[in-house]
Amino acid sequence: MRINLRSICFLCTALAAFIAFTANAKEPDWSAYSELLRQYVKPDHKEYMDANFVDYGALKGNEKFAKLVEQIATFPLSDLETPEERMAFYLNGYNILAIKMVVDNWPITKLKSLGSFFKPVWTFDAGVLCGEKVTLRYLEHGILRKMGDPRIHMALNCASMSCPDLRIEPYTASNLNQQLEEQSKKYLTQENKGIVIENDVIHLSSIFGWFEDDFAVVGGVEAFVRKYRRDLPMNIKFSTDLPYNWNVNATLNRSELRQALAKSDW
């Protein structure tokens, strides 16, 4: 058998480049987070909508989850070199800390109930990322929204039924665009959650109203929606008026429900 030296050189160069890329990868090792998501997050249904439910009770006191929280708390910010690395990290960070807030207060019927009108839960200390104490509000408004991609709103999960689903895999720099595309398409097909089509009106999640300005970079809310729902009629009204369901994305057993209702829940 003749050996093609040119092919061997090409393969060696490609292998060296791959090894160098892997060695220089700056993202955290998300394998523990991936394992936790696969184990404790499952699709389910309640209150007329589908969602990925989290087993918050099982995560309470879970050593692997505690180590994950510590991992993101101590990860060096300087290692996040690209916009994709930073966005993936902060999306995961937001979702992990939202889970942590529910776990730390479990059982509750909604995360929002921990706060008040004057002191919303989004302004509470949520935890630490890269050595910095953060709130969920700061992560969303102070970091992620400033990155200029409205699809982040399809990836953030505030532990509520009407939120876009918690993805059952970590966000990563290499797959980020595909993941955000999938999240956007899915949310805009979920009845009573992201969209409801009723006669001559398209009812959309309140998210599209709250953050309407963020969608200007892609031509506005309607243009964004039509990108993922090409089946929608042209002469139809868009309204961001779907009621937002803040109930927790979980099933509470009877004991948990009694405990939750005994708290100052509203």
Short mmCIF file of all heavy atoms in Angstrom, two decimals, residues 63-112:
data_model
loop_
_atom_site.label_atom_id
_atom_site.label_comp_id
_atom_site.label_asym_id
_atom_site.label_seq_id
_atom_site.Cartn_x
_atom_site.Cartn_y
_atom_site.Cartn_z
N GLU A 63 -24.58 17.43 46.59
CA GLU A 63 -23.17 17.82 46.62
C GLU A 63 -22.68 18.27 45.25
O GLU A 63 -21.90 19.23 45.14
CB GLU A 63 -22.32 16.65 47.12
CG GLU A 63 -20.84 16.99 47.28
CD GLU A 63 -20.03 15.84 47.83
OE1 GLU A 63 -20.63 14.88 48.38
OE2 GLU A 63 -18.78 15.88 47.72
N LYS A 64 -23.12 17.60 44.19
CA LYS A 64 -22.67 17.98 42.84
C LYS A 64 -23.18 19.37 42.47
O LYS A 64 -22.46 20.14 41.82
CB LYS A 64 -23.16 16.95 41.82
CG LYS A 64 -22.43 15.62 41.89
CD LYS A 64 -22.89 14.68 40.79
CE LYS A 64 -22.13 13.36 40.86
NZ LYS A 64 -22.57 12.42 39.79
N PHE A 65 -24.41 19.67 42.88
CA PHE A 65 -24.93 21.01 42.58
C PHE A 65 -24.17 22.07 43.36
O PHE A 65 -23.86 23.14 42.84
CB PHE A 65 -26.42 21.07 42.90
CG PHE A 65 -27.05 22.40 42.54
CD1 PHE A 65 -27.16 22.78 41.22
CD2 PHE A 65 -27.51 23.26 43.52
CE1 PHE A 65 -27.73 24.01 40.87
CE2 PHE A 65 -28.08 24.48 43.20
CZ PHE A 65 -28.18 24.86 41.86
N ALA A 66 -23.85 21.78 44.61
CA ALA A 66 -23.06 22.72 45.43
C ALA A 66 -21.70 22.97 44.80
O ALA A 66 -21.21 24.12 44.78
CB ALA A 66 -22.91 22.17 46.84
N LYS A 67 -21.08 21.94 44.26
CA LYS A 67 -19.78 22.09 43.61
C LYS A 67 -19.89 22.90 42.32
O LYS A 67 -18.99 23.66 41.98
CB LYS A 67 -19.16 20.73 43.34
CG LYS A 67 -18.68 20.00 44.59
CD LYS A 67 -18.03 18.67 44.25
CE LYS A 67 -17.49 18.00 45.50
NZ LYS A 67 -16.88 16.67 45.20
N LEU A 68 -21.00 22.73 41.60
CA LEU A 68 -21.23 23.50 40.39
C LEU A 68 -21.34 24.98 40.72
O LEU A 68 -20.77 25.83 40.02
CB LEU A 68 -22.51 23.02 39.70
CG LEU A 68 -22.99 23.84 38.50
CD1 LEU A 68 -21.97 23.80 37.36
CD2 LEU A 68 -24.36 23.33 38.01
N VAL A 69 -22.09 25.31 41.76
CA VAL A 69 -22.22 26.71 42.19
C VAL A 69 -20.87 27.28 42.56
O VAL A 69 -20.54 28.42 42.23
CB VAL A 69 -23.21 26.80 43.38
CG1 VAL A 69 -23.21 28.21 43.97
CG2 VAL A 69 -24.63 26.42 42.92
N GLU A 70 -20.04 26.48 43.22
CA GLU A 70 -18.69 26.93 43.58
C GLU A 70 -17.82 27.10 42.33
O GLU A 70 -17.01 28.02 42.24
CB GLU A 70 -18.05 25.91 44.53
CG GLU A 70 -16.62 26.22 44.94
CD GLU A 70 -16.49 27.50 45.75
OE1 GLU A 70 -17.49 27.97 46.32
OE2 GLU A 70 -15.37 28.05 45.80
N GLN A 71 -18.01 26.22 41.36
CA GLN A 71 -17.23 26.29 40.12
C GLN A 71 -17.44 27.62 39.40
O GLN A 71 -16.47 28.27 38.98
CB GLN A 71 -17.63 25.14 39.18
CG GLN A 71 -16.94 25.18 37.82
CD GLN A 71 -17.52 24.16 36.84
OE1 GLN A 71 -18.55 23.54 37.11
NE2 GLN A 71 -16.86 23.99 35.71
N ILE A 72 -18.69 28.04 39.26
CA ILE A 72 -18.95 29.30 38.55
C ILE A 72 -18.59 30.50 39.40
O ILE A 72 -18.30 31.57 38.88
CB ILE A 72 -20.41 29.38 38.07
CG1 ILE A 72 -21.40 29.35 39.23
CG2 ILE A 72 -20.71 28.28 37.05
CD1 ILE A 72 -22.85 29.53 38.82
N ALA A 73 -18.57 30.32 40.71
CA ALA A 73 -18.20 31.43 41.60
C ALA A 73 -16.73 31.76 41.50
O ALA A 73 -16.33 32.93 41.61
CB ALA A 73 -18.56 31.07 43.05
N THR A 74 -15.91 30.75 41.27
CA THR A 74 -14.46 30.95 41.28
C THR A 74 -13.84 30.95 39.89
O THR A 74 -12.62 31.13 39.76
CB THR A 74 -13.80 29.84 42.12
OG1 THR A 74 -14.13 28.56 41.57
CG2 THR A 74 -14.27 29.92 43.56
N PHE A 75 -14.63 30.76 38.84
CA PHE A 75 -14.06 30.71 37.49
C PHE A 75 -13.46 32.07 37.13
O PHE A 75 -14.08 33.11 37.33
CB PHE A 75 -15.14 30.33 36.47
CG PHE A 75 -14.58 30.04 35.11
CD1 PHE A 75 -14.03 28.80 34.84
CD2 PHE A 75 -14.59 31.00 34.11
CE1 PHE A 75 -13.49 28.52 33.58
CE2 PHE A 75 -14.05 30.74 32.87
CZ PHE A 75 -13.50 29.49 32.60
N PRO A 76 -12.23 32.07 36.58
CA PRO A 76 -11.57 33.35 36.25
C PRO A 76 -12.26 34.08 35.09
O PRO A 76 -12.38 33.53 34.00
CB PRO A 76 -10.15 32.92 35.85
CG PRO A 76 -9.98 31.53 36.37
CD PRO A 76 -11.35 30.91 36.34
N LEU A 77 -12.70 35.28 35.32
CA LEU A 77 -13.35 36.08 34.28
C LEU A 77 -12.43 36.28 33.08
O LEU A 77 -12.89 36.31 31.94
CB LEU A 77 -13.77 37.43 34.86
CG LEU A 77 -14.46 38.41 33.90
CD1 LEU A 77 -15.76 37.83 33.37
CD2 LEU A 77 -14.73 39.74 34.60
N SER A 78 -11.14 36.41 33.33
CA SER A 78 -10.17 36.67 32.26
C SER A 78 -10.08 35.51 31.27
O SER A 78 -9.58 35.68 30.15
CB SER A 78 -8.79 36.95 32.84
OG SER A 78 -8.35 35.85 33.63
N ASP A 79 -10.55 34.33 31.66
CA ASP A 79 -10.51 33.17 30.76
C ASP A 79 -11.58 33.23 29.68
O ASP A 79 -11.52 32.50 28.69
CB ASP A 79 -10.67 31.87 31.54
CG ASP A 79 -9.38 31.45 32.22
OD1 ASP A 79 -8.39 32.20 32.13
OD2 ASP A 79 -9.35 30.37 32.85
N LEU A 80 -12.59 34.08 29.87
CA LEU A 80 -13.67 34.20 28.89
C LEU A 80 -13.24 35.23 27.84
O LEU A 80 -13.45 36.42 28.00
CB LEU A 80 -14.96 34.61 29.57
CG LEU A 80 -15.46 33.67 30.67
CD1 LEU A 80 -16.65 34.28 31.40
CD2 LEU A 80 -15.82 32.31 30.09
N GLU A 81 -12.64 34.75 26.75
CA GLU A 81 -11.99 35.65 25.80
C GLU A 81 -12.89 36.10 24.66
O GLU A 81 -12.71 37.19 24.13
CB GLU A 81 -10.75 34.96 25.23
CG GLU A 81 -9.67 34.70 26.28
CD GLU A 81 -8.42 34.09 25.69
OE1 GLU A 81 -8.51 33.54 24.57
OE2 GLU A 81 -7.37 34.16 26.33
N THR A 82 -13.84 35.28 24.26
CA THR A 82 -14.67 35.63 23.10
C THR A 82 -16.08 36.01 23.54
O THR A 82 -16.53 35.61 24.62
CB THR A 82 -14.75 34.45 22.11
OG1 THR A 82 -15.55 33.40 22.71
CG2 THR A 82 -13.37 33.92 21.77
N PRO A 83 -16.80 36.76 22.70
CA PRO A 83 -18.20 37.09 23.03
C PRO A 83 -19.06 35.84 23.23
O PRO A 83 -19.93 35.83 24.10
CB PRO A 83 -18.67 37.89 21.81
CG PRO A 83 -17.43 38.47 21.22
CD PRO A 83 -16.36 37.44 21.46
N GLU A 84 -18.80 34.80 22.45
CA GLU A 84 -19.57 33.57 22.58
C GLU A 84 -19.30 32.88 23.92
O GLU A 84 -20.22 32.36 24.56
CB GLU A 84 -19.25 32.61 21.43
CG GLU A 84 -19.72 33.06 20.07
CD GLU A 84 -18.80 34.12 19.45
OE1 GLU A 84 -17.66 34.32 19.95
OE2 GLU A 84 -19.22 34.76 18.47
N GLU A 85 -18.03 32.87 24.34
CA GLU A 85 -17.69 32.28 25.63
C GLU A 85 -18.37 33.03 26.77
O GLU A 85 -18.90 32.43 27.70
CB GLU A 85 -16.17 32.27 25.83
CG GLU A 85 -15.45 31.25 24.98
CD GLU A 85 -13.93 31.38 25.09
OE1 GLU A 85 -13.46 32.37 25.69
OE2 GLU A 85 -13.23 30.50 24.57
N ARG A 86 -18.35 34.36 26.67
CA ARG A 86 -18.96 35.17 27.74
C ARG A 86 -20.47 34.99 27.77
O ARG A 86 -21.07 34.84 28.85
CB ARG A 86 -18.59 36.64 27.56
CG ARG A 86 -17.12 36.94 27.84
CD ARG A 86 -16.85 38.43 27.91
NE ARG A 86 -16.95 39.06 26.59
CZ ARG A 86 -15.95 39.14 25.72
NH1 ARG A 86 -14.77 38.64 26.02
NH2 ARG A 86 -16.12 39.75 24.56
N MET A 87 -21.10 35.00 26.59
CA MET A 87 -22.55 34.86 26.57
C MET A 87 -22.98 33.49 27.09
O MET A 87 -23.91 33.39 27.91
CB MET A 87 -23.11 35.08 25.16
CG MET A 87 -24.63 35.01 25.11
SD MET A 87 -25.32 35.34 23.46
CE MET A 87 -25.00 37.10 23.31
N ALA A 88 -22.33 32.43 26.64
CA ALA A 88 -22.67 31.09 27.10
C ALA A 88 -22.49 30.97 28.61
O ALA A 88 -23.33 30.40 29.31
CB ALA A 88 -21.82 30.05 26.37
N PHE A 89 -21.39 31.53 29.10
CA PHE A 89 -21.11 31.44 30.54
C PHE A 89 -22.20 32.16 31.34
O PHE A 89 -22.71 31.62 32.33
CB PHE A 89 -19.75 32.05 30.86
CG PHE A 89 -19.43 32.04 32.33
CD1 PHE A 89 -18.88 30.92 32.94
CD2 PHE A 89 -19.69 33.15 33.13
CE1 PHE A 89 -18.61 30.90 34.30
CE2 PHE A 89 -19.43 33.15 34.49
CZ PHE A 89 -18.87 32.02 35.08
N TYR A 90 -22.55 33.37 30.93
CA TYR A 90 -23.52 34.14 31.72
C TYR A 90 -24.94 33.62 31.57
O TYR A 90 -25.75 33.74 32.49
CB TYR A 90 -23.43 35.62 31.37
CG TYR A 90 -22.24 36.29 32.03
CD1 TYR A 90 -21.13 36.70 31.30
CD2 TYR A 90 -22.22 36.48 33.41
CE1 TYR A 90 -20.04 37.29 31.92
CE2 TYR A 90 -21.14 37.06 34.04
CZ TYR A 90 -20.05 37.47 33.29
OH TYR A 90 -18.97 38.04 33.92
N LEU A 91 -25.27 33.02 30.44
CA LEU A 91 -26.57 32.36 30.32
C LEU A 91 -26.65 31.18 31.29
O LEU A 91 -27.64 31.02 32.02
CB LEU A 91 -26.80 31.87 28.89
CG LEU A 91 -27.10 32.94 27.84
CD1 LEU A 91 -27.14 32.32 26.44
CD2 LEU A 91 -28.41 33.66 28.12
N ASN A 92 -25.62 30.35 31.29
CA ASN A 92 -25.58 29.24 32.24
C ASN A 92 -25.58 29.75 33.67
O ASN A 92 -26.28 29.20 34.54
CB ASN A 92 -24.34 28.37 31.99
CG ASN A 92 -24.41 27.58 30.70
OD1 ASN A 92 -25.48 27.21 30.24
ND2 ASN A 92 -23.27 27.34 30.09
N GLY A 93 -24.78 30.80 33.92
CA GLY A 93 -24.70 31.35 35.27
C GLY A 93 -26.03 31.84 35.78
O GLY A 93 -26.41 31.58 36.92
N TYR A 94 -26.76 32.57 34.93
CA TYR A 94 -28.08 33.07 35.32
C TYR A 94 -29.00 31.90 35.67
O TYR A 94 -29.66 31.91 36.73
CB TYR A 94 -28.68 33.88 34.17
CG TYR A 94 -30.07 34.44 34.47
CD1 TYR A 94 -30.23 35.78 34.82
CD2 TYR A 94 -31.22 33.65 34.40
CE1 TYR A 94 -31.50 36.30 35.10
CE2 TYR A 94 -32.48 34.16 34.68
CZ TYR A 94 -32.61 35.48 35.02
OH TYR A 94 -33.85 35.99 35.30
N ASN A 95 -29.06 30.90 34.81
CA ASN A 95 -29.98 29.79 35.02
C ASN A 95 -29.61 28.98 36.26
O ASN A 95 -30.48 28.53 37.02
CB ASN A 95 -30.02 28.90 33.78
CG ASN A 95 -30.69 29.58 32.61
OD1 ASN A 95 -31.44 30.54 32.77
ND2 ASN A 95 -30.43 29.10 31.40
N ILE A 96 -28.32 28.78 36.47
CA ILE A 96 -27.87 28.04 37.66
C ILE A 96 -28.22 28.79 38.93
O ILE A 96 -28.71 28.20 39.91
CB ILE A 96 -26.35 27.78 37.59
CG1 ILE A 96 -26.04 26.78 36.47
CG2 ILE A 96 -25.82 27.25 38.93
CD1 ILE A 96 -24.56 26.67 36.13
N LEU A 97 -28.00 30.11 38.94
CA LEU A 97 -28.28 30.88 40.15
C LEU A 97 -29.78 31.02 40.39
O LEU A 97 -30.22 31.10 41.54
CB LEU A 97 -27.61 32.25 40.07
CG LEU A 97 -26.08 32.23 40.12
CD1 LEU A 97 -25.52 33.64 40.14
CD2 LEU A 97 -25.57 31.45 41.34
N ALA A 98 -30.59 31.03 39.32
CA ALA A 98 -32.04 31.02 39.50
C ALA A 98 -32.47 29.71 40.15
O ALA A 98 -33.31 29.69 41.06
CB ALA A 98 -32.75 31.22 38.17
N ILE A 99 -31.89 28.60 39.69
CA ILE A 99 -32.17 27.31 40.31
C ILE A 99 -31.76 27.34 41.77
O ILE A 99 -32.50 26.89 42.66
CB ILE A 99 -31.42 26.18 39.57
CG1 ILE A 99 -31.97 25.99 38.16
CG2 ILE A 99 -31.52 24.86 40.35
CD1 ILE A 99 -31.16 25.04 37.30
N LYS A 100 -30.58 27.88 42.04
CA LYS A 100 -30.07 27.94 43.41
C LYS A 100 -31.01 28.71 44.33
O LYS A 100 -31.25 28.31 45.48
CB LYS A 100 -28.69 28.58 43.44
CG LYS A 100 -28.07 28.71 44.83
CD LYS A 100 -26.71 29.37 44.77
CE LYS A 100 -26.09 29.46 46.16
NZ LYS A 100 -26.88 30.33 47.08
N MET A 101 -31.56 29.83 43.85
CA MET A 101 -32.46 30.62 44.68
C MET A 101 -33.71 29.82 45.05
O MET A 101 -34.21 29.92 46.17
CB MET A 101 -32.83 31.92 43.97
CG MET A 101 -31.67 32.88 43.80
SD MET A 101 -32.16 34.48 43.09
CE MET A 101 -32.82 35.30 44.55
N VAL A 102 -34.21 29.03 44.10
CA VAL A 102 -35.37 28.20 44.40
C VAL A 102 -34.98 27.09 45.37
O VAL A 102 -35.67 26.83 46.36
CB VAL A 102 -35.98 27.61 43.11
CG1 VAL A 102 -37.14 26.67 43.45
CG2 VAL A 102 -36.45 28.71 42.18
N VAL A 103 -33.87 26.43 45.08
CA VAL A 103 -33.40 25.33 45.94
C VAL A 103 -33.18 25.80 47.37
O VAL A 103 -33.58 25.14 48.34
CB VAL A 103 -32.10 24.72 45.36
CG1 VAL A 103 -31.43 23.80 46.38
CG2 VAL A 103 -32.38 23.97 44.07
N ASP A 104 -32.55 26.96 47.53
CA ASP A 104 -32.26 27.48 48.87
C ASP A 104 -33.52 27.78 49.66
O ASP A 104 -33.49 27.82 50.90
CB ASP A 104 -31.42 28.76 48.77
CG ASP A 104 -29.99 28.49 48.34
OD1 ASP A 104 -29.58 27.32 48.34
OD2 ASP A 104 -29.28 29.47 47.99
N ASN A 105 -34.64 28.02 48.96
CA ASN A 105 -35.88 28.38 49.63
C ASN A 105 -36.98 27.33 49.46
O ASN A 105 -38.14 27.59 49.77
CB ASN A 105 -36.38 29.73 49.09
CG ASN A 105 -35.46 30.87 49.44
OD1 ASN A 105 -35.50 31.40 50.55
ND2 ASN A 105 -34.59 31.25 48.50
N TRP A 106 -36.60 26.18 48.94
CA TRP A 106 -37.58 25.14 48.65
C TRP A 106 -38.23 24.61 49.92
O TRP A 106 -37.55 24.45 50.92
CB TRP A 106 -36.91 24.00 47.87
CG TRP A 106 -37.88 23.00 47.35
CD1 TRP A 106 -38.11 21.73 47.82
CD2 TRP A 106 -38.76 23.18 46.24
NE1 TRP A 106 -39.07 21.11 47.08
CE2 TRP A 106 -39.49 21.99 46.10
CE3 TRP A 106 -39.01 24.23 45.36
CZ2 TRP A 106 -40.46 21.81 45.12
CZ3 TRP A 106 -39.96 24.06 44.38
CH2 TRP A 106 -40.67 22.86 44.26
N PRO A 107 -39.54 24.37 49.91
CA PRO A 107 -40.46 24.50 48.77
C PRO A 107 -41.11 25.88 48.69
O PRO A 107 -41.44 26.48 49.71
CB PRO A 107 -41.52 23.44 49.08
CG PRO A 107 -41.56 23.38 50.59
CD PRO A 107 -40.15 23.65 51.05
N ILE A 108 -41.30 26.36 47.47
CA ILE A 108 -42.03 27.59 47.20
C ILE A 108 -42.89 27.36 45.97
O ILE A 108 -42.61 26.48 45.16
CB ILE A 108 -41.10 28.80 46.96
CG1 ILE A 108 -40.09 28.50 45.83
CG2 ILE A 108 -40.39 29.21 48.23
CD1 ILE A 108 -39.21 29.67 45.46
N THR A 109 -43.93 28.17 45.82
CA THR A 109 -44.79 28.03 44.65
C THR A 109 -44.33 28.91 43.50
O THR A 109 -44.66 28.66 42.35
CB THR A 109 -46.25 28.38 44.98
OG1 THR A 109 -46.30 29.72 45.49
CG2 THR A 109 -46.82 27.40 46.00
N LYS A 110 -43.58 29.97 43.80
CA LYS A 110 -43.02 30.81 42.74
C LYS A 110 -41.81 31.56 43.29
O LYS A 110 -41.79 31.99 44.45
CB LYS A 110 -44.05 31.79 42.17
CG LYS A 110 -44.78 32.63 43.19
CD LYS A 110 -45.67 33.68 42.52
CE LYS A 110 -46.90 33.08 41.91
NZ LYS A 110 -47.97 32.76 42.89
N LEU A 111 -40.78 31.69 42.45
CA LEU A 111 -39.58 32.41 42.85
C LEU A 111 -39.90 33.87 43.16
O LEU A 111 -39.37 34.46 44.11
CB LEU A 111 -38.52 32.32 41.75
CG LEU A 111 -37.22 33.10 41.96
CD1 LEU A 111 -36.52 32.66 43.23
CD2 LEU A 111 -36.29 32.92 40.75
N LYS A 112 -40.79 34.43 42.38
CA LYS A 112 -41.14 35.84 42.53
C LYS A 112 -41.69 36.16 43.92
O LYS A 112 -41.57 37.28 44.41
CB LYS A 112 -42.18 36.21 41.46
CG LYS A 112 -42.48 37.69 41.34
CD LYS A 112 -43.50 37.94 40.24
CE LYS A 112 -43.82 39.43 40.11
NZ LYS A 112 -44.84 39.69 39.08
#
